[in-house]
């Protein structure tokens, strides 16, 4: 559907999507750190689709399950127990990512 | 005022405050990384007092201004332009932290 | 289900539902403008059901797809990339509305 | 899935889950009152899974449908019409709880 | 300033303000319970002015400080540590309310 | 302070600020309509600084006080009574804008 949005040629949305990609590239902070930042931000804002996206990116960055649980802990402490259902779904998705359990 | 809250002897609040401290200790992730996570979460939830607290902790963890700007960038991309006023206040506070400009 | 809620005879909810309808009627601003306002508010608050409701109303008000993309752009800039998944679903629903593609 | 989270042995999450249970126990306020507080908080934060959890607890506390409608009214007035879709789903779930209609 | 808003003769706002008052009147639930609900909802949505308003009403309803701390506990558990700064300000205001310390 | 942020040469933030400006330019929708959209989005997200910014822009676009009250009405109905304190401050600021009372 992102392609569908882009096909509508709205310049603001196109540039925002571009910017979104640039945000998570290696810089003063590594891409790995930035993906963790994107994940925790998505969790406290309780956006399941955004969480899934960043979980995939975190997986590519070889974040371990133990590290992941600590990210979840920060999200739940800052954002409260309303983050629990999103944490449940996040862990479920994380464990379905190929070989994530072996990390 | 945290002491005032604690003096009221509410067990749930006491334990939550304790847990909050534990959350940011070195573990699978470093305290430095966790403070960055706490900061970005506070920014997208737009809590100025929480942002200030984590800025102080990030300063203690010797995060550089360049790294800080990248945390701000993630917060603004994920959370949108409503995060801008909080970013302004965050940068102002960051630059007032002793010697933060020299990092 | 709104009827189910109304059948419970809670006066506050009944009046709020009434007020909700009145809010979007022609006044100093046209119903068309007000529906756009209701839509962008629903998007940044990320309520998919509310978004769908206002998309239908916007469709009745003969808002074009190009105009719709600009509403989406405001919502994504103000609310950030966490609005993207809602934008995807909104566009999908918009394009399913009878003949919306021909506007 | 809570068990899956707990099986990961993250101390912060374990303690937070424990604390969550303690929060709603009889104290200066009754468990019944606290469950109503937990429900209204979940509604204005628009967390359907949290709402369901507290609806079950409210049911156990023998809250009546008329009382429930007044909790819904507070949530909708404080949180606005974006709470309506969650209210719809909450009422639907409430009426499915065994014998809830007879209370 | 509410009077200033009302002086503008916007029917929707006038009725909403009226409805707001009606919401907290004795019904199936007591005014006391409803004010607690309004308070916890305002806390998790982090609206300091709304919190102050409900603290005054809770004070009129003779809620004790011990009960108040349990409302704060629910708010902080559901809404997370970003509610702490609002809790601090709430307790400060609560203790300034005439004789609130003697309750 | 925006200049201070820009002086830090973070490319993502620079581009986002640029994009923010472009978002509200005349297009399929007029700048006037877009500023109203930006205002209502800022109100329901309860960002006072963002509200002020868009109030100034709305003033430049010669929006009348009667139209403004209808924008406020949509924001309060969608976002609930927690928007009231922001509406109070918004009206106060609006009436201080040069000659806004004469529109």
């Amino acid at each position: 559907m992102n392609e569908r949005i882009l096909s509508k040629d709205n310049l603001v949305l196109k540039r925002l999507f571009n910017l979104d990609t640039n945000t998570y590239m290696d810089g003063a902070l590594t891409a790995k750190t930035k993906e963790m930042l994107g994940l925790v931000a998505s969790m406290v804002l309780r956006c399941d689709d955004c969480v899934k996206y960043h979980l995939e990116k975190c997986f590519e960055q070889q974040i371990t399950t133990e590290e992941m649980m600590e990210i979840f802990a920060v999200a739940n402490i800052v954002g409260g127990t309303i983050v629990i259902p999103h944490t449940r779904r996040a862990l479920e998705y994380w464990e379905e990512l190929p070989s994530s359990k072996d990390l």
Side-chain angles (χ1 to χ4, degrees), chain A:
Chain A
M1 273 307 290
N2 272 8
E3 280 156 42
R4 185 84 61 85
I5 294 176
L6 292 173
S7 78
K8 297 299 175 193
D9 273 334
N10 180 289
L11 209 61
V12 171
L13 288 171
K14 271 188 168 172
R15 285 183 184 165
L16 182 63
F17 282 28
N18 246 316
L19 209 44
D20 187 27
T21 308
N22 292 342
T23 304
Y24 300 98
M25 287 179 173
D26 279 319
L29 297 172
T30 61
K32 181 181 168 179
T33 297
K34 288 176 167 183
E35 285 302 337
M36 291 193 282
L37 295 173
L39 177 60
V40 83
S42 300
M43 286 189 82
V44 296
L45 290 173
R46 300 187 290 125
C47 171
D48 284 331
D49 288 311
C50 313
V51 166
K52 280 186 177 179
Y53 174 82
H54 287 293
L55 283 172
E56 289 168 16
K57 294 290 180 183
C58 285
F59 181 72
E60 289 171 18
Q61 295 291 338
Q62 303 193 280
I63 286 170
T64 67
T65 295
E66 206 184 344
E67 289 172 328
M68 188 50 71
M69 295 312 290
E70 296 193 359
I71 300 173
F72 291 173
V74 173
N76 279 268
I77 284 294
V78 176
T81 57
I82 47 158
V83 181
I84 292 177
H86 304 272
T87 305
R88 259 190 244 127
R89 287 189 284 272
L91 180 58
E92 189 167 31
Y93 191 72
W94 176 253
E95 298 205 312
E96 281 167 9
L97 288 172
S99 332
S100 70
K101 278 163 296 213
D102 308 326
L103 284 181

